[in-house]
Amino acid sequence: MDISPTEAQQALDDIDKIMARTRRELANGSGPLQLVIWGLVWFVGFLGSYFLSGPKSGFLWLLLLIAALISSIYLGYRDELRVRYGGLSMRIASSWALLILFATLILWAATPKTAEQANLIFILIIMLGYGLLGIWTWRAMFWVGLVVSALAIIGYLFFFKHFFIWMAVLGGGALIASGIYIKKAGK
Amino acid sequence: MDELDPVIHQPVRLRIMAALMTLDMDAEIEFTTLRDLLNLTDGNLGAHLRKLERAEYVQIHKTFVGRKPRTFLSLTPKGRVAFLEHRRALEALLQSVDRALENNQG
């Protein structure tokens, strides 16, 4: 089969273009959008922790978490209708459920002295989940987990009194910014 | 040396193969999602998929999601190898042209 160099170049350009588009539109599914949603949850939730009383803040967190979980399950289901990863979605969802269960048990066993300490422990365990997800499937998540963990530790050590507002702006902001960046860059 | 594959070289089939190649090994893409991604019609995509299936490059998996029939598509291992060989053949062709030009200039 003979083709001209121009045709060969055109074919290679087409391949690169289609692969980039597929990666951008499908490879991560709703992942970037979910990062933005969870970033907004953190932003509003931690602002609530900073400005509201304990019970009101707890109620706000409960509402936010239920809304975010429902949206994550819906978006995950919608992804499955477009691209199926051989049961990977179910395994990831189960891993998150297990991690959240263990985070709750660790919090119970550790009996943290302050709400800030309890939140730091929970954040670090959730970010461990991001890191593992990054190692196993979606590489960008590894860095998200690392950066948010570092921000949480810095906030806890150096800005303890304003830890919640720190996490709202920088923790929530980092998740939102990561979601937007990953979507645009197709990482 | 790798050779160009006439089944893959057709522009629409090349785009189908490139899109499927981007997905993980065990991933399958739904028919209408691929159709929209490549801006094709149902008939056009279906016809080219049949040719790729005959060459054993593409696996077509029909199933039901709820009550709706859905068709999922993926590359076979043979299809992945064929695509990589075709791509290498295209690159080799361009490199040989570059070398010929350099020799002529030298």
Side-chain angles (χ1 to χ4, degrees), chain A residues 50-128:
Chain A
Y50 190 76
F51 289 111
L52 300 175
S53 64
K56 280 186 186 165
S57 152
F59 185 65
L60 178 66
W61 268 113
L62 186 69
L63 287 182
L64 288 169
L65 291 176
I66 290 172
L69 275 174
I70 290 172
S71 71
S72 285
I73 290 167
Y74 168 72
L75 289 170
Y77 171 74
R78 211 183 58 172
D79 283 347
E80 279 279 311
L81 295 180
R82 304 175 77 203
V83 181
R84 301 201 305 189
Y85 290 92
L88 183 69
S89 307
M90 270 313 289
R91 287 201 295 274
I92 289 177
S94 311
S95 303
W96 276 115
L98 197 66
L99 199 69
I100 289 168
L101 174 70
F102 269 80
T104 312
L105 290 173
I106 290 168
L107 273 181
W108 168 75
T111 53
K113 293 183 185 74
T114 62
E116 285 83 355
Q117 198 181 11
N119 275 279
L120 178 67
I121 293 172
F122 202 79
I123 289 166
L124 291 177
I125 295 171
I126 296 301
M127 286 305 121
L128 168 68

Side-chain angles (χ1 to χ4, degrees), chain B:
Chain B
M1 187 172 157
D2 297 310
E3 299 223 349
L4 291 171
D5 186 327
V7 178
I8 298 178
H9 189 65
Q10 199 284 336
V12 175
R13 290 198 286 275
L14 182 76
R15 290 164 64 208
I16 293 170
M17 294 289 286
L20 294 177
M21 187 72 191
T22 313
L23 301 175
D24 291 343
M25 289 276 271
D26 57 353
E28 298 177 305
I29 187 169
E30 203 267 329
F31 182 92
T32 57
T33 305
L34 183 64
R35 178 199 66 193
D36 296 344
L37 183 77
L38 301 177
N39 293 322
L40 298 172
T41 62
D42 284 348
N44 198 2
L45 177 57
H48 286 294
L49 281 174
R50 275 192 292 279
K51 286 192 178 158
L52 291 170
E53 190 186 25
R54 267 203 298 274
E56 297 175 358
Y57 290 169
V58 164
Q59 195 169 29
I60 299 177
H61 175 205
K62 292 179 192 281
T63 184
F64 280 87
V65 177
R67 287 182 180 178
K68 284 186 182 170
R70 299 256 179 186
T71 302
F72 285 90
L73 314 158
S74 60
L75 281 188
T76 61
K78 184 179 173 184
R80 283 185 176 268
V81 171
F83 179 82
L84 291 174
E85 284 176 356
H86 183 76
R87 187 181 184 147
R88 278 199 296 265
L90 289 170
E91 286 164 350
L93 191 143
L94 288 178
Q95 281 164 6
S96 68
V97 171
D98 284 347
R99 271 198 300 273
L101 282 174
E102 277 171 21
N103 288 341
N104 283 344
Q105 283 166 356

Side-chain angles (χ1 to χ4, degrees), chain A residues 115-172:
Chain A
E116 285 83 355
Q117 198 181 11
N119 275 279
L120 178 67
I121 293 172
F122 202 79
I123 289 166
L124 291 177
I125 295 171
I126 296 301
M127 286 305 121
L128 168 68
Y130 276 57
L132 293 174
L133 187 67
I135 289 170
W136 283 97
T137 61
W138 184 17
R139 206 170 304 160
M141 297 302 286
F142 176 79
W143 298 108
V144 175
L146 214 64
V147 168
V148 175
S149 297
L151 285 171
I153 291 169
I154 291 169
Y156 185 79
L157 288 177
F158 300 108
F159 305 97
F160 185 81
K161 281 189 178 169
H162 305 289
F163 180 65
F164 291 137
I165 208 143
W166 170 276
M167 284 317 298
V169 176
L170 292 178

